[in-house]
Amino acid sequence: MSSAPAAFAAGRLERLGIDPVWSRSVDVRFADGATLRVHALDASPRDGSRPPLTVVCVHGNPTWSLMWRSFHRRLGDRYRVLAVDQVSMGLSERAGPR
């Protein structure tokens, strides 16, 4: 995973209540051969310890991973908290017509 998408500078993320360290993106190859960049918020203990549990947060339509930022703030120091933006939502790449 790479760091936050260029479209969202660290200051803008912080104004939204998101620690820029949580912001990640990864290129995902789909079954039809298309590759799209998918964004996620991924918080873990900063001391490098392996968290005992991963909490996966799934958003609906038309929301995005931002809605889970309070979980990241409250639980990210003890657990890994992962919220992925679905394709064409949040900071994930927009899918064209298929």
Coordinates of all heavy atoms in Angstrom, one line a residue:
M1 N 0.8 -1.2 0.0 CA 0.0 0.0 0.0 C 0.9 1.2 0.0 O 1.9 1.3 0.7 CB -0.9 0.0 1.2 CG -2.0 -1.0 1.3 SD -3.1 -0.7 2.7 CE -4.5 -1.4 2.1
S2 N 0.5 2.2 -0.7 CA 1.2 3.5 -0.8 C 0.5 4.5 0.2 O -0.5 4.2 0.7 CB 1.3 4.0 -2.2 OG 0.0 4.3 -2.7
S3 N 1.1 5.7 0.3 CA 0.5 6.7 1.2 C -0.7 7.4 0.5 O -1.1 7.0 -0.5 CB 1.6 7.7 1.5 OG 2.0 8.4 0.3
A4 N -1.2 8.3 1.2 CA -2.5 9.0 0.8 C -2.5 9.5 -0.6 O -1.4 9.9 -1.1 CB -2.7 10.2 1.7
P5 N -3.6 9.4 -1.3 CA -3.7 9.9 -2.6 C -3.3 11.4 -2.7 O -3.6 12.1 -1.8 CB -5.2 9.7 -3.0 CG -5.7 8.7 -2.0 CD -4.9 8.9 -0.8
A6 N -2.7 11.7 -3.8 CA -2.2 13.1 -4.0 C -3.3 14.1 -3.9 O -3.1 15.2 -3.5 CB -1.5 13.2 -5.3
A7 N -4.5 13.7 -4.2 CA -5.7 14.6 -4.2 C -6.0 15.1 -2.8 O -6.6 16.1 -2.7 CB -6.9 14.0 -4.9
F8 N -5.5 14.4 -1.8 CA -5.8 14.8 -0.4 C -4.6 15.0 0.3 O -3.9 14.1 0.7 CB -6.6 13.7 0.3 CG -8.1 14.0 0.3 CD1 -8.9 14.0 -0.8 CD2 -8.7 14.2 1.6 CE1 -10.2 14.2 -0.7 CE2 -10.0 14.5 1.6 CZ -10.8 14.5 0.5
A9 N -4.2 16.3 0.5 CA -3.0 16.7 1.3 C -3.3 16.4 2.7 O -4.4 16.3 3.2 CB -2.7 18.1 1.1
A10 N -2.2 16.2 3.5 CA -2.3 15.8 4.9 C -3.1 16.8 5.7 O -4.0 16.4 6.5 CB -0.9 15.7 5.5
G11 N -3.0 18.1 5.4 CA -3.8 19.1 6.1 C -5.3 18.9 5.9 O -6.1 19.1 6.8
R12 N -5.6 18.6 4.7 CA -7.1 18.4 4.4 C -7.6 17.1 5.1 O -8.7 17.2 5.7 CB -7.2 18.2 2.9 CG -8.7 18.3 2.5 CD -8.8 18.4 1.0 NE -10.1 18.4 0.6 CZ -10.5 18.3 -0.7 NH1 -9.7 18.1 -1.6 NH2 -11.8 18.2 -1.0
L13 N -6.8 16.1 5.2 CA -7.3 14.9 5.9 C -7.4 15.2 7.4 O -8.4 14.8 8.0 CB -6.2 13.8 5.8 CG -6.2 13.1 4.4 CD1 -5.0 12.2 4.3 CD2 -7.5 12.3 4.1
E14 N -6.5 16.0 8.0 CA -6.5 16.3 9.4 C -7.8 17.2 9.7 O -8.4 17.0 10.7 CB -5.3 17.0 9.8 CG -4.1 16.1 9.9 CD -2.7 16.8 10.0 OE1 -2.7 18.0 9.7 OE2 -1.8 16.2 10.4
R15 N -8.1 18.1 8.8 CA -9.4 18.9 9.0 C -10.6 18.0 9.0 O -11.6 18.4 9.6 CB -9.5 20.0 7.9 CG -8.5 21.1 8.2 CD -8.8 22.3 7.3 NE -8.7 22.0 5.9 CZ -7.5 22.1 5.2 NH1 -6.4 22.3 5.8 NH2 -7.5 21.8 3.9
L16 N -10.5 16.8 8.4 CA -11.7 15.9 8.4 C -11.6 14.9 9.6 O -12.5 14.1 9.7 CB -11.7 15.1 7.1 CG -12.0 15.9 5.8 CD1 -11.7 15.0 4.6 CD2 -13.4 16.4 5.8
G17 N -10.6 15.1 10.4 CA -10.5 14.2 11.6 C -9.8 12.9 11.3 O -10.0 12.0 12.1
I18 N -9.0 12.9 10.3 CA -8.3 11.7 9.9 C -6.8 11.9 10.1 O -6.2 12.9 9.5 CB -8.6 11.3 8.4 CG1 -10.1 11.1 8.3 CG2 -7.8 10.1 8.0 CD1 -10.5 10.9 6.8
D19 N -6.1 11.0 10.8 CA -4.7 11.0 10.9 C -4.1 10.6 9.5 O -4.4 9.5 9.0 CB -4.2 10.1 12.0 CG -2.7 10.1 12.2 OD1 -2.0 10.5 11.3 OD2 -2.3 9.8 13.4
P20 N -3.3 11.4 8.9 CA -2.8 11.1 7.5 C -2.0 9.8 7.5 O -1.9 9.1 6.5 CB -1.9 12.2 7.2 CG -2.3 13.4 8.0 CD -2.9 12.8 9.3
V21 N -1.5 9.3 8.7 CA -0.8 8.1 8.7 C -1.7 6.9 8.4 O -1.3 5.9 7.9 CB -0.2 7.9 10.1 CG1 0.4 6.5 10.3 CG2 0.9 9.0 10.4
W22 N -3.0 7.0 8.7 CA -4.0 6.0 8.4 C -4.3 5.8 6.9 O -4.8 4.7 6.5 CB -5.3 6.2 9.1 CG -5.3 6.5 10.5 CD1 -4.3 6.1 11.4 CD2 -6.3 7.2 11.3 NE1 -4.7 6.4 12.7 CE2 -5.9 7.1 12.6 CE3 -7.4 7.8 11.0 CZ2 -6.6 7.7 13.7 CZ3 -8.2 8.4 12.0 CH2 -7.8 8.3 13.3
S23 N -4.1 6.8 6.1 CA -4.5 6.8 4.7 C -3.6 6.0 3.8 O -2.4 6.2 3.8 CB -4.6 8.3 4.2 OG -5.1 8.3 2.9
R24 N -4.1 5.0 3.1 CA -3.3 4.1 2.3 C -4.1 3.9 1.0 O -5.3 4.0 0.9 CB -3.2 2.8 2.9 CG -2.5 2.8 4.3 CD -1.0 2.8 4.1 NE -0.4 2.7 5.4 CZ 0.0 3.7 6.1 NH1 -0.1 4.9 5.7 NH2 0.7 3.6 7.2
S25 N -3.4 3.6 -0.1 CA -4.1 3.1 -1.3 C -3.3 2.0 -1.9 O -2.1 1.8 -1.7 CB -4.2 4.3 -2.3 OG -2.9 4.8 -2.7
V26 N -4.0 1.2 -2.7 CA -3.4 0.0 -3.3 C -4.1 -0.2 -4.6 O -5.3 0.0 -4.8 CB -3.6 -1.3 -2.4 CG1 -5.0 -1.6 -2.1 CG2 -2.8 -2.4 -2.9
D27 N -3.3 -0.7 -5.6 CA -3.8 -1.0 -6.9 C -4.4 -2.4 -6.8 O -3.7 -3.4 -6.5 CB -2.8 -0.9 -8.0 CG -2.3 0.5 -8.3 OD1 -3.2 1.4 -8.1 OD2 -1.2 0.8 -8.7
V28 N -5.6 -2.6 -7.2 CA -6.3 -3.9 -7.2 C -6.7 -4.3 -8.6 O -7.3 -3.5 -9.4 CB -7.6 -3.8 -6.3 CG1 -8.3 -5.1 -6.4 CG2 -7.3 -3.4 -4.9
R29 N -6.3 -5.5 -9.0 CA -6.6 -6.0 -10.3 C -7.9 -6.9 -10.2 O -7.9 -7.8 -9.4 CB -5.5 -6.9 -10.9 CG -5.7 -7.3 -12.3 CD -4.6 -8.1 -12.8 NE -4.9 -8.6 -14.1 CZ -4.2 -8.4 -15.2 NH1 -3.1 -7.8 -15.1 NH2 -4.6 -8.8 -16.4
F30 N -8.9 -6.5 -11.0 CA -10.2 -7.2 -10.9 C -10.2 -8.4 -12.0 O -9.3 -8.4 -12.8 CB -11.3 -6.2 -11.2 CG -11.4 -5.3 -10.0 CD1 -10.7 -4.1 -10.0 CD2 -12.2 -5.5 -9.0 CE1 -10.8 -3.2 -8.9 CE2 -12.4 -4.7 -7.9 CZ -11.6 -3.5 -7.9
A31 N -11.2 -9.2 -11.8 CA -11.3 -10.4 -12.7 C -11.4 -10.1 -14.2 O -10.9 -10.8 -15.0 CB -12.5 -11.2 -12.3
D32 N -11.9 -8.9 -14.5 CA -12.0 -8.5 -15.9 C -10.7 -7.9 -16.4 O -10.6 -7.5 -17.6 CB -13.2 -7.5 -16.1 CG -13.0 -6.2 -15.4 OD1 -12.0 -6.0 -14.8 OD2 -13.9 -5.4 -15.6
G33 N -9.7 -7.9 -15.6 CA -8.4 -7.4 -16.0 C -8.1 -5.9 -15.7 O -7.0 -5.4 -15.8
A34 N -9.2 -5.2 -15.3 CA -9.1 -3.8 -14.9 C -8.3 -3.6 -13.6 O -8.4 -4.5 -12.7 CB -10.4 -3.1 -14.8
T35 N -7.5 -2.6 -13.5 CA -6.8 -2.3 -12.3 C -7.2 -0.9 -11.8 O -7.2 0.1 -12.6 CB -5.2 -2.3 -12.5 OG1 -4.8 -3.6 -13.0 CG2 -4.5 -2.0 -11.3
L36 N -7.7 -0.8 -10.6 CA -8.1 0.4 -10.0 C -7.4 0.7 -8.7 O -7.1 -0.3 -8.0 CB -9.6 0.4 -9.8 CG -10.5 0.3 -11.1 CD1 -11.9 0.1 -10.7 CD2 -10.3 1.6 -11.9
R37 N -7.2 1.9 -8.4 CA -6.6 2.3 -7.1 C -7.7 2.3 -6.0 O -8.7 3.1 -6.2 CB -5.9 3.6 -7.2 CG -5.2 4.0 -5.9 CD -4.0 4.8 -6.1 NE -3.0 4.0 -6.7 CZ -1.7 4.1 -6.5 NH1 -1.3 4.9 -5.7 NH2 -0.9 3.3 -7.1
V38 N -7.6 1.6 -5.0 CA -8.6 1.5 -3.9 C -7.9 2.2 -2.6 O -6.8 1.9 -2.3 CB -9.0 0.1 -3.6 CG1 -9.9 0.0 -2.4 CG2 -9.6 -0.5 -4.9
H39 N -8.7 3.0 -2.0 CA -8.2 3.7 -0.8 C -8.7 3.0 0.5 O -9.8 2.5 0.5 CB -8.7 5.2 -0.8 CG -8.3 5.9 0.4 ND1 -9.2 6.1 1.5 CD2 -7.2 6.5 0.8 CE1 -8.6 6.8 2.4 NE2 -7.4 7.1 2.0
A40 N -7.9 3.1 1.6 CA -8.3 2.6 2.8 C -7.8 3.4 4.0 O -6.8 4.1 3.8 CB -7.8 1.2 3.0
L41 N -8.5 3.4 5.1 CA -8.0 4.0 6.4 C -7.5 2.8 7.2 O -8.3 1.8 7.4 CB -9.0 4.8 7.1 CG -9.5 6.0 6.4 CD1 -10.6 6.7 7.2 CD2 -8.4 7.0 6.1
D42 N -6.3 2.7 7.6 CA -5.7 1.6 8.3 C -4.9 2.1 9.5 O -3.8 2.6 9.4 CB -4.8 0.9 7.3 CG -4.3 -0.5 7.8 OD1 -4.6 -0.8 9.0 OD2 -3.5 -1.1 7.1
A43 N -5.5 1.9 10.7 CA -4.9 2.3 11.9 C -4.5 1.1 12.7 O -5.2 0.1 12.8 CB -5.9 3.2 12.8
S44 N -3.3 1.2 13.3 CA -2.7 0.1 14.2 C -1.9 0.8 15.3 O -1.6 2.0 15.2 CB -1.8 -0.8 13.4 OG -2.5 -1.5 12.4
P45 N -1.6 0.0 16.3 CA -0.8 0.6 17.4 C 0.5 1.1 16.9 O 1.1 0.5 16.0 CB -0.6 -0.6 18.3 CG -1.7 -1.5 18.1 CD -2.0 -1.3 16.6
R46 N 0.9 2.3 17.3 CA 2.1 3.0 16.8 C 3.3 2.4 17.3 O 4.4 2.8 16.8 CB 2.0 4.5 17.0 CG 0.9 5.1 16.2 CD 0.9 6.6 16.3 NE -0.2 7.1 15.5 CZ -0.2 8.3 14.9 NH1 0.9 9.0 14.9 NH2 -1.2 8.7 14.2
D47 N 3.2 1.6 18.4 CA 4.5 1.1 19.0 C 5.0 -0.1 18.2 O 6.0 -0.7 18.5 CB 4.2 0.7 20.4 CG 3.2 -0.4 20.6 OD1 2.7 -1.0 19.6 OD2 2.9 -0.8 21.7
G48 N 4.3 -0.5 17.1 CA 4.8 -1.5 16.2 C 4.3 -2.9 16.7 O 4.6 -3.9 16.0
S49 N 3.6 -3.0 17.8 CA 3.2 -4.3 18.3 C 2.1 -4.9 17.4 O 1.4 -4.1 16.7 CB 2.6 -4.2 19.7 OG 1.5 -3.4 19.7
R50 N 2.0 -6.2 17.4 CA 1.0 -6.8 16.5 C -0.3 -6.8 17.3 O -0.5 -7.4 18.4 CB 1.4 -8.3 16.2 CG 0.4 -9.0 15.3 CD 0.9 -10.4 15.1 NE -0.1 -11.1 14.3 CZ 0.1 -11.6 13.2 NH1 1.3 -11.6 12.6 NH2 -0.9 -12.2 12.5
P51 N -1.4 -6.1 16.7 CA -2.6 -6.1 17.4 C -3.3 -7.4 17.5 O -3.2 -8.3 16.6 CB -3.5 -5.1 16.6 CG -2.8 -4.9 15.3 CD -1.4 -5.4 15.5
P52 N -4.0 -7.7 18.6 CA -4.7 -9.0 18.9 C -5.9 -9.2 18.0 O -6.4 -10.3 17.8 CB -5.1 -8.9 20.3 CG -5.3 -7.5 20.6 CD -4.3 -6.8 19.7
L53 N -6.4 -8.2 17.3 CA -7.6 -8.3 16.6 C -7.7 -7.2 15.5 O -7.1 -6.1 15.7 CB -8.8 -8.0 17.6 CG -10.2 -8.0 17.0 CD1 -10.6 -9.4 16.6 CD2 -11.2 -7.5 18.1
T54 N -8.3 -7.6 14.3 CA -8.5 -6.6 13.3 C -10.0 -6.3 13.2 O -10.8 -7.2 13.1 CB -8.0 -7.1 11.9 OG1 -6.5 -7.3 12.0 CG2 -8.2 -6.1 10.8
V55 N -10.3 -5.0 13.2 CA -11.7 -4.6 13.0 C -11.9 -4.1 11.6 O -11.2 -3.2 11.2 CB -12.1 -3.5 14.0 CG1 -13.5 -3.1 13.8 CG2 -11.8 -4.0 15.5
V56 N -12.7 -4.8 10.8 CA -13.0 -4.3 9.4 C -14.3 -3.6 9.4 O -15.3 -4.1 9.8 CB -13.0 -5.6 8.5 CG1 -13.3 -5.1 7.1 CG2 -11.7 -6.3 8.6
C57 N -14.2 -2.4 8.9 CA -15.4 -1.5 8.9 C -15.8 -1.4 7.4 O -15.0 -1.0 6.5 CB -15.0 -0.1 9.4 SG -14.3 -0.1 11.1
V58 N -17.1 -1.7 7.1 CA -17.6 -1.6 5.8 C -18.7 -0.6 5.7 O -19.6 -0.5 6.5 CB -18.2 -3.0 5.4 CG1 -18.8 -3.0 4.0 CG2 -17.2 -4.1 5.6
H59 N -18.5 0.3 4.7 CA -19.5 1.4 4.6 C -20.5 1.0 3.5 O -20.3 0.1 2.7 CB -18.8 2.7 4.2 CG -18.2 2.8 2.9 ND1 -18.9 3.0 1.7 CD2 -16.9 2.7 2.5 CE1 -18.1 3.0 0.7 NE2 -16.8 2.8 1.1
G60 N -21.6 1.7 3.5 CA -22.7 1.5 2.5 C -22.6 2.5 1.4 O -21.6 3.2 1.3
N61 N -23.6 2.6 0.6 CA -23.7 3.6 -0.5 C -24.6 4.7 -0.1 O -25.7 4.4 0.3 CB -24.2 2.8 -1.7 CG -24.1 3.7 -3.0 OD1 -23.7 4.8 -3.0 ND2 -24.6 3.1 -4.1
P62 N -24.2 5.9 -0.2 CA -23.1 6.6 -0.8 C -22.1 7.1 0.1 O -21.6 8.2 0.0 CB -23.8 7.7 -1.6 CG -24.8 8.2 -0.6 CD -25.3 6.9 0.1
T63 N -21.7 6.4 1.2 CA -20.7 6.9 2.1 C -19.3 6.5 1.8 O -19.1 5.9 0.7 CB -21.1 6.4 3.5 OG1 -21.1 5.0 3.6 CG2 -22.5 6.9 3.9
W64 N -18.4 6.7 2.7 CA -17.0 6.3 2.5 C -16.3 6.1 3.8 O -17.0 6.2 4.9 CB -16.3 7.3 1.6 CG -16.2 8.7 2.1 CD1 -17.2 9.5 2.6 CD2 -15.0 9.6 2.2 NE1 -16.7 10.8 3.0 CE2 -15.4 10.8 2.7 CE3 -13.7 9.3 1.8 CZ2 -14.5 11.8 2.8 CZ3 -12.8 10.4 2.0 CH2 -13.2 11.6 2.5
S65 N -15.1 5.7 3.8 CA -14.4 5.2 5.0 C -14.3 6.3 6.1 O -14.1 6.0 7.3 CB -13.0 4.8 4.7 OG -12.2 5.8 4.0
L66 N -14.5 7.6 5.7 CA -14.4 8.7 6.6 C -15.4 8.5 7.8 O -15.2 8.9 8.9 CB -14.8 10.0 5.9 CG -15.0 11.2 6.7 CD1 -13.6 11.7 7.3 CD2 -15.6 12.3 5.9
M67 N -16.5 7.8 7.5 CA -17.5 7.6 8.6 C -17.0 6.8 9.7 O -17.6 6.8 10.8 CB -18.8 7.0 8.0 CG -18.7 5.6 7.5 SD -20.3 4.9 6.9 CE -21.3 4.9 8.4
W68 N -15.9 6.1 9.5 CA -15.4 5.2 10.6 C -14.2 5.8 11.3 O -13.6 5.2 12.2 CB -14.9 3.9 10.0 CG -16.0 3.1 9.3 CD1 -16.3 2.9 8.0 CD2 -17.1 2.4 10.0 NE1 -17.4 2.2 7.8 CE2 -17.9 1.8 9.0 CE3 -17.4 2.2 11.4 CZ2 -19.0 1.1 9.3 CZ3 -18.5 1.5 11.7 CH2 -19.3 0.9 10.7
R69 N -14.0 7.1 11.1 CA -12.8 7.8 11.7 C -12.8 7.7 13.2 O -11.8 7.6 13.9 CB -12.6 9.2 11.2 CG -13.7 10.1 11.5 CD -13.5 11.5 10.8 NE -14.5 12.4 11.1 CZ -15.6 12.6 10.4 NH1 -15.9 11.8 9.4 NH2 -16.5 13.5 10.8
S70 N -14.0 7.8 13.8 CA -14.1 7.7 15.3 C -13.7 6.3 15.8 O -13.0 6.2 16.9 CB -15.5 8.0 15.8 OG -16.4 7.1 15.4
F71 N -13.9 5.3 15.0 CA -13.4 3.9 15.4 C -11.9 3.9 15.4 O -11.3 3.3 16.2 CB -14.0 2.9 14.5 CG -15.4 2.4 14.8 CD1 -16.4 3.3 14.8 CD2 -15.6 1.1 15.0 CE1 -17.7 2.8 15.1 CE2 -16.9 0.6 15.3 CZ -17.9 1.5 15.3
H72 N -11.3 4.5 14.3 CA -9.9 4.6 14.2 C -9.3 5.3 15.4 O -8.3 4.9 16.0 CB -9.5 5.3 12.9 CG -9.7 4.4 11.7 ND1 -11.0 4.3 11.1 CD2 -8.9 3.6 11.0 CE1 -10.9 3.5 10.1 NE2 -9.6 3.1 10.0
R73 N -9.9 6.4 15.8 CA -9.4 7.2 16.9 C -9.5 6.4 18.2 O -8.6 6.5 19.1 CB -10.1 8.5 17.0 CG -9.6 9.6 16.0 CD -10.1 11.0 16.4 NE -11.6 11.1 16.4 CZ -12.4 11.4 15.4 NH1 -11.8 11.7 14.2 NH2 -13.7 11.5 15.5
R74 N -10.6 5.8 18.5 CA -10.9 5.1 19.7 C -10.2 3.8 19.9 O -9.9 3.4 21.0 CB -12.4 5.0 20.0 CG -13.1 6.3 20.3 CD -14.5 6.1 20.6 NE -15.2 5.5 19.5 CZ -16.5 5.3 19.4 NH1 -17.3 5.7 20.4 NH2 -17.0 4.8 18.3
L75 N -10.1 3.0 18.8 CA -9.6 1.7 18.8 C -8.3 1.4 18.2 O -7.6 0.4 18.5 CB -10.6 0.7 18.1 CG -12.1 0.7 18.7 CD1 -12.9 -0.2 17.8 CD2 -12.1 0.3 20.1
G76 N -7.8 2.4 17.4 CA -6.5 2.2 16.7 C -5.3 2.0 17.5 O -4.3 1.6 17.0
D77 N -5.3 2.4 18.8 CA -4.2 2.2 19.7 C -4.1 0.8 20.2 O -3.1 0.4 20.8 CB -4.2 3.3 20.8 CG -5.4 3.2 21.7 OD1 -6.4 2.6 21.3 OD2 -5.3 3.7 22.8
R78 N -5.2 0.0 20.1 CA -5.2 -1.3 20.7 C -5.4 -2.4 19.6 O -5.0 -3.5 19.8 CB -6.4 -1.5 21.7 CG -6.2 -0.6 22.9 CD -7.3 -0.9 23.9 NE -8.6 -0.7 23.3 CZ -9.4 0.3 23.3 NH1 -9.0 1.4 24.0 NH2 -10.6 0.4 22.8
Y79 N -6.1 -2.0 18.5 CA -6.4 -3.0 17.5 C -6.1 -2.4 16.1 O -5.9 -1.2 16.0 CB -8.0 -3.3 17.5 CG -8.5 -3.7 18.8 CD1 -9.3 -2.8 19.5 CD2 -8.2 -5.0 19.3 CE1 -9.8 -3.2 20.8 CE2 -8.7 -5.3 20.5 CZ -9.5 -4.5 21.3 OH -10.0 -4.8 22.5
R80 N -6.0 -3.3 15.1 CA -5.9 -2.8 13.7 C -7.3 -2.5 13.3 O -8.2 -3.4 13.3 CB -5.3 -3.8 12.8 CG -5.1 -3.3 11.4 CD -4.5 -4.3 10.5 NE -4.3 -3.8 9.2 CZ -4.0 -4.5 8.1 NH1 -3.9 -5.8 8.2 NH2 -3.8 -3.9 7.0
V81 N -7.6 -1.3 12.8 CA -8.9 -0.9 12.3 C -8.7 -0.5 10.8 O -8.0 0.4 10.5 CB -9.4 0.3 13.1 CG1 -10.8 0.7 12.6 CG2 -9.4 0.0 14.6
L82 N -9.4 -1.3 10.0 CA -9.3 -1.1 8.6 C -10.7 -0.8 8.0 O -11.7 -1.5 8.2 CB -8.8 -2.4 8.0 CG -8.6 -2.5 6.5 CD1 -7.6 -1.5 6.0 CD2 -8.3 -3.9 6.1
A83 N -10.7 0.3 7.2 CA -12.0 0.7 6.5 C -11.6 1.0 5.0 O -10.8 1.9 4.8 CB -12.6 1.9 7.1
V84 N -12.1 0.2 4.1 CA -11.8 0.3 2.7 C -12.9 1.1 2.0 O -14.1 0.9 2.2 CB -11.6 -1.0 2.1 CG1 -11.3 -0.9 0.6 CG2 -10.6 -1.8 2.8
D85 N -12.5 2.1 1.2 CA -13.5 2.8 0.3 C -13.8 1.9 -0.9 O -12.9 1.4 -1.6 CB -12.9 4.1 -0.2 CG -12.8 5.2 0.8 OD1 -13.7 5.3 1.6 OD2 -11.9 6.1 0.7
Q86 N -15.1 1.6 -1.1 CA -15.5 0.8 -2.2 C -15.1 1.6 -3.5 O -14.9 2.8 -3.5 CB -17.0 0.6 -2.2 CG -17.4 -0.2 -1.0 CD -18.9 -0.4 -1.0 OE1 -19.5 -0.7 -2.0 NE2 -19.4 -0.4 0.2
V87 N -14.9 0.8 -4.6 CA -14.6 1.4 -5.9 C -15.6 2.5 -6.2 O -16.8 2.3 -6.0 CB -14.5 0.4 -7.0 CG1 -14.4 1.0 -8.4 CG2 -13.3 -0.6 -6.7
S88 N -15.2 3.6 -6.7 CA -16.0 4.8 -7.1 C -16.6 5.5 -5.9 O -17.5 6.3 -6.1 CB -17.1 4.4 -8.0 OG -16.6 3.8 -9.2
M89 N -16.1 5.3 -4.7 CA -16.6 6.0 -3.5 C -15.3 6.5 -2.7 O -14.3 6.0 -2.8 CB -17.4 5.1 -2.6 CG -18.7 4.7 -3.3 SD -19.7 3.8 -2.2 CE -20.9 3.2 -3.3
G90 N -15.6 7.6 -2.0 CA -14.5 8.1 -1.1 C -13.3 8.5 -2.0 O -13.4 9.1 -3.0
L91 N -12.1 8.1 -1.6 CA -10.9 8.4 -2.3 C -10.5 7.3 -3.2 O -9.4 7.4 -3.8 CB -9.8 8.7 -1.3 CG -10.0 9.9 -0.4 CD1 -8.9 10.1 0.6 CD2 -10.2 11.2 -1.2
S92 N -11.3 6.2 -3.4 CA -11.0 5.2 -4.4 C -11.2 5.7 -5.8 O -12.0 6.6 -6.0 CB -11.8 3.9 -4.1 OG -11.4 3.3 -3.0
E93 N -10.5 5.1 -6.7 CA -10.6 5.5 -8.1 C -12.0 5.2 -8.6 O -12.7 4.3 -8.2 CB -9.6 4.7 -8.9 CG -9.5 5.2 -10.4 CD -8.3 4.5 -11.1 OE1 -7.6 3.6 -10.5 OE2 -8.2 4.7 -12.3
R94 N -12.4 6.1 -9.5 CA -13.8 5.9 -10.1 C -13.7 4.9 -11.3 O -12.8 5.0 -12.1 CB -14.3 7.3 -10.7 CG -14.4 8.4 -9.7 CD -15.1 7.9 -8.5 NE -15.3 9.0 -7.5 CZ -14.8 8.9 -6.2 NH1 -14.1 7.9 -5.8 NH2 -15.1 9.9 -5.4
A95 N -14.6 4.0 -11.3 CA -14.7 3.0 -12.3 C -15.5 3.5 -13.5 O -16.5 4.2 -13.3 CB -15.4 1.7 -11.8
G96 N -15.0 3.3 -14.7 CA -15.7 3.7 -15.9 C -16.7 2.7 -16.3 O -16.9 1.7 -15.6
P97 N -17.4 3.0 -17.4 CA -18.5 2.0 -17.8 C -17.8 0.7 -18.2 O -16.7 0.7 -18.7 CB -19.1 2.7 -19.0 CG -18.3 4.0 -19.3 CD -17.3 4.2 -18.2
R98 N -18.6 -0.4 -17.9 CA -18.0 -1.7 -18.2 C -19.0 -2.4 -19.1 O -20.1 -2.4 -19.1 CB -17.8 -2.5 -16.9 CG -16.7 -1.8 -16.1 CD -16.4 -2.7 -14.9 NE -15.3 -2.0 -14.2 CZ -14.4 -2.6 -13.6 NH1 -14.4 -3.9 -13.6 NH2 -13.5 -2.0 -13.0

